[in-house]
Amino acid sequence: MERRLSGTSGEDLKGARDAALVARSKAGDTEAFGELVRRYQKQVFRIVLRMVKSPDDADDITQDTFVRAHRGLGTFKDEFDFHPWLFRIAYNQAINFINKRKRQAAADIDEVPERDMKTGPEPESPVQSASRHELLGRLAAALERLPEEQRTVFLLRVQEGLSYEEIAETMDTPKGTVMSRLARARMALRKYMDVPSS
Amino acid sequence: MNNTIHPSIDSLSAFVDNELPPGDIADIRAHVDGCPGCRDQVQAFSSLGEMARGLDEPLPGEAYWKDLPDRILARIAGAVVPRPVPEPQPSLWHRLWNPSGGWRLALGSAASLCLVAALWFVVHQTGTPWSPAAPEMAEQVATPVADDGSLYTPVDDAGRPQPTMNPNSYSKRVIMSLGGRDNLGTPLDILPGRAAGSGSGYSTIGSQVTNTLPPLSPDAAAVTNGVISYGCGENPIESAYLAALKAEESGNYHLASQGYRLVRASLPIGSNLRHEAEYRLMYLAWSERMQSTWTQRAKAIDELNQLASRSFQTWQQSQLDRDCTKAWCMNRVLLSLGPEVASPANLQQTSSRVQQLKDCAQE
């Protein structure tokens, strides 16, 4: 049973449902929104980090996500779940960032001397750290070969445990597309890794 | 399910996730039990998931998570400080200066003349006629004309010649034909000539002109080389934008739309200058649409208001930069054209939207 929210104690907030916290946040209760941040900050950070591959950038984008979510609370419809909506903002922020980085990289190519392009340090992907373990390393490498949409769908499902409905909401795409992307991702991963069935 | 027919890969994948209706799950389970190939597939999918769960990203320590909510709430507290309204018109310097792209500005009367000539050169490569000078657009917009079905009047109140811009004119054709190559999609939704439901997305006249117009080369390098070879230094795209501005100021909307289009085709999405070119193109398109009776103009404004409001809502939902740019452009056009017919409350609302969109559109 949901706790009553007559007070503002931390215990009350921790036991409250998302919908109650959203309602209080809409009414200007920043403590309630702070609880929503605490509740979802790690998931948002992980989703973003997997996409942008840089903890510093993930930090910025995670902050932006919550700030934008707070700003957009007025448009959030109470009949929907909060976290898929939040994840969609995070996902879109990460997509914006990636697109900007690509444009910047394209613009920089003309300006970077050739020697720098050859000798510059390769950005280390967080997933590369898993290469200590051979199988995990192979999976990490296989994931890197997947198209962005397939990789994100796969990780939202297996790591975040989101339902197809929630993934569809997060990525603003039909549920059927989620289903087929997941299947294609699994087939591709199996092919890249040559996963034994048992 | 017939046990001799294999389930699709999508179904097997959804079966692993327990995302199928109960009846389908029972059917597939029955099939998988008796089919080594499908069982192998299901087991492989399951083991992939188990492995991936062990592949967690290294996350920051607890101190970070304890601190993050406070940092976010502090930003939120700062973000509610109201900004001045209405939005000031950015200076030419600001409009042309894009820090991320490192654009350099070439100003000066001699250079400006050279830029106009450069754009003239580029436009003539595509066979565009150079129109004689015409009165400023603002005067045209403010001039009611007879409701004779034509969009434009050939003579203004003072008897001065107006540019001939009916739906078959080159300017109109240029603007209508822009849509086919616009991957941002900004002007497409509002352009005259676009008809919902038709196969190509354009009305007959739109399709005809799209097919018959010589396309302006979207190859930025070719255009750039053309301008450079004409003798202008610095940045030729900025040159083209400045020339287009001058063309618009002097009433040469044909040329102006070509110039803005050239800029848009030459710059990446996200560039401030590209945003400005899109804004000017939308302004031209809507100004043309309003060259008729007051009733039609009010109707056009009403339509634009709905589009501007809808684009803003779309951005609020998606938070995507491209939606922000579209909404920003749309609302700025409304703000520019609206004062004649829109209510003050409506304009204030539009101004507020522009303020909210300003940051993300210029990022």
Side-chain angles (χ1 to χ4, degrees), chain A residues 30 33-34 37-38 41-42 45-46 49-50 59-60 62-64 66-68 70-71 75 77 85 88-89 92-93 95-96 100 103-104 111 126-127 129-130 135-136 139-140 143 154-155 157-159 162-165 175 179-180 182-184 186-187 189-190 193 195-198, chain B residues 8-20 37 39-49 51-60 62 64-73 75-76 79-80 100-101 268-271 315-322 356 360 363:
Chain A
T30 52
F33 191 75
V37 174
R38 274 183 283 277
Q41 58 183 355
K42 287 188 181 178
F45 188 92
R46 269 202 304 266
L49 179 60
R50 282 189 210 109
D59 175 47
D60 289 342
T62 300
Q63 288 189 51
D64 288 346
F66 282 106
V67 170
R68 284 179 186 243
H70 185 267
R71 201 186 295 160
T75 66
K77 294 187 174 64
W85 178 74
R88 181 163 73 179
I89 295 174
N92 285 341
Q93 290 300 303
I95 291 287
N96 287 341
K100 271 181 200 159
R103 289 197 298 270
Q104 187 62 47
E111 298 169 12
V127 294
S129 62
L135 200 56
L136 287 182
L139 175 58
L143 277 168
F154 179 76
L155 292 173
R157 173 64 205 178
V158 301
Q159 287 197 330
L162 297 192
S163 68
Y164 284 14
E165 195 74 50
K175 194 176 166 183
M179 186 171 165
S180 59
L182 253 175
R184 285 203 299 274
R186 283 173 165 141
M187 287 299 286
L189 286 173
R190 194 181 173 191
M193 295 184 66
V195 175
S197 59
S198 57
Chain B
S8 67
I9 293 297
D10 286 10
S11 296
L12 289 176
S13 171
F15 173 74
V16 170
D17 292 327
N18 203 23
E19 284 272 0
L20 291 172
R39 191 164 60 242
D40 179 76
Q41 195 74 275
V42 166
Q43 286 174 348
F45 285 173
S46 297
S47 62
L48 272 174
M51 270 192 288
R53 276 186 281 280
L55 189 68
D56 222 347
E57 310 290 347
L59 292 177
E62 278 309 308
Y64 173 84
W65 303 114
K66 198 175 173 186
D67 178 52
L68 184 59
D70 291 338
R71 286 195 287 145
I72 289 170
L73 292 179
R75 273 189 60 184
I76 289 170
V80 297
S100 60
I269 296 172
S271 155
W315 167 74
Q316 282 184 313
Q317 291 296 323
S318 74
Q319 296 289 321
L320 281 172
D321 284 354
R322 66 166 183 267
Q356 291 180 64
C360 62
E363 275 177 1

Side-chain angles (χ1 to χ4, degrees), chain A residues 132-169:
Chain A
R132 291 189 300 273
H133 191 294
E134 186 199 343
L135 200 56
L136 287 182
R138 278 165 56 200
L139 175 58
L143 277 168
E144 288 298 303
R145 293 174 67 182
L146 288 182
E148 180 70 46
E149 293 88 356
Q150 289 183 25
R151 180 168 58 242
T152 303
V153 164
F154 179 76
L155 292 173
L156 285 175
R157 173 64 205 178
V158 301
Q159 287 197 330
E160 301 303 333
L162 297 192
S163 68
Y164 284 14
E165 195 74 50
E166 289 170 334
I167 297 172
E169 171 68 16

Side-chain angles (χ1 to χ4, degrees), chain B residues 232-283:
Chain B
C232 290
E234 295 300 329
N235 192 306
I237 307 302
E238 291 171 6
S239 306
Y241 183 81
L242 282 170
L245 273 181
K246 282 185 169 295
E248 186 184 340
E249 285 168 6
S250 62
N252 288 305
Y253 309 128
H254 305 183
L255 185 65
S257 61
Q258 278 284 35
Y260 296 137
R261 185 182 167 200
L262 169 76
V263 172
R264 189 176 59 170
S266 305
L267 293 176
I269 296 172
S271 155
N272 287 351
L273 197 56
R274 181 182 163 128
H275 289 179
E276 286 300 326
E278 283 165 350
Y279 165 67
R280 296 313 311 170
L281 275 169
M282 291 176 73
Y283 182 90

Side-chain angles (χ1 to χ4, degrees), chain A residues 21-34:
Chain A
L21 293 172
V22 168
R24 287 178 58 163
S25 301
K26 280 184 176 180
D29 185 342
T30 52
E31 285 299 316
F33 191 75

Side-chain angles (χ1 to χ4, degrees), chain B residues 30-356:
Chain B
H31 175 88
V32 166
D33 285 345
C35 175
C38 290
R39 191 164 60 242
D40 179 76
Q41 195 74 275
V42 166
Q43 286 174 348
F45 285 173
S46 297
S47 62
L48 272 174
E50 285 164 17
M51 270 192 288
R53 276 186 281 280
L55 189 68
D56 222 347
E57 310 290 347
L59 292 177
E62 278 309 308
Y64 173 84
W65 303 114
K66 198 175 173 186
D67 178 52
L68 184 59
D70 291 338
R71 286 195 287 145
I72 289 170
L73 292 179
R75 273 189 60 184
I76 289 170
V80 297
V81 176
R83 290 178 177 156
V85 176
E87 173 203 29
Q89 179 71 16
S91 66
L92 181 62
W93 172 261
H94 267 90
R95 283 191 281 166
L96 295 180
W97 180 260
N98 178 356
S100 60
W103 290 101
R104 299 174 303 280
L105 187 61
L107 287 177
S109 58
S112 299
L113 284 173
C114 183
L115 306 182
V116 177
L119 179 57
W120 183 86
F121 168 76
V122 171
V123 168
H124 269 248
Q125 278 192 317
T126 67
T128 306
W130 178 279
S131 303
E136 290 188 0
M137 175 173 284
E139 289 179 296
Q140 291 182 43
V141 171
T143 307
V145 296
D147 186 11
D148 57 359
S150 63
L151 288 173
Y152 306 98
T153 178
V155 181
D156 68 7
D157 287 341
R160 293 173 297 194
Q162 299 282 317
T164 304
M165 295 205 294
N166 58 54
N168 290 318
S169 72
Y170 190 82
S171 174
K172 179 69 76 179
R173 285 183 292 155
V174 164
I175 290 176
M176 282 196 292
S177 66
L178 289 175
R181 292 172 216 90
D182 187 353
N183 51 15
L184 190 68
T186 303
L188 282 182
D189 297 334
I190 62 164
L191 288 181
R194 182 180 174 88
S198 66
S200 64
Y202 293 89
S203 65
T204 305
I205 189 170
S207 300
Q208 284 172 353
V209 297
T210 303
N211 292 335
T212 54
L213 268 180
L216 180 66
S217 168
D219 183 351
V223 172
T224 302
N225 290 336
V227 178
I228 290 173
S229 68
Y230 199 69
C232 290
E234 295 300 329
N235 192 306
I237 307 302
E238 291 171 6
S239 306
Y241 183 81
L242 282 170
L245 273 181
K246 282 185 169 295
E248 186 184 340
E249 285 168 6
S250 62
N252 288 305
Y253 309 128
H254 305 183
L255 185 65
S257 61
Q258 278 284 35
Y260 296 137
R261 185 182 167 200
L262 169 76
V263 172
R264 189 176 59 170
S266 305
L267 293 176
I269 296 172
S271 155
N272 287 351
L273 197 56
R274 181 182 163 128
H275 289 179
E276 286 300 326
E278 283 165 350
Y279 165 67
R280 296 313 311 170
L281 275 169
M282 291 176 73
Y283 182 90
L284 282 175
W286 274 95
S287 294
E288 288 191 49
R289 199 166 189 172
M290 291 171 66
Q291 304 299 304
S292 189
T293 64
W294 285 103
T295 306
Q296 285 175 314
R297 293 166 67 184
K299 192 176 169 187
I301 280 291
D302 187 49
E303 191 181 341
L304 177 57
N305 184 41
Q306 288 178 28
L307 288 166
S309 172
R310 209 176 303 144
S311 66
F312 182 74
Q313 288 167 7
T314 301
W315 167 74
Q316 282 184 313
Q317 291 296 323
S318 74
Q319 296 289 321
L320 281 172
D321 284 354
R322 66 166 183 267
D323 291 337
C324 178
T325 302
K326 180 177 177 179
W328 183 68
C329 286
M330 199 90 75
N331 280 280
R332 279 186 68 196
V333 172
L334 181 61
L335 207 56
S336 302
L337 295 175
E340 295 173 41
V341 283
S343 69
N346 187 274
L347 287 174
Q348 195 174 5
Q349 195 179 29
T350 307
S351 176
S352 165
R353 289 197 294 247
V354 168
Q355 284 298 314
Q356 291 180 64

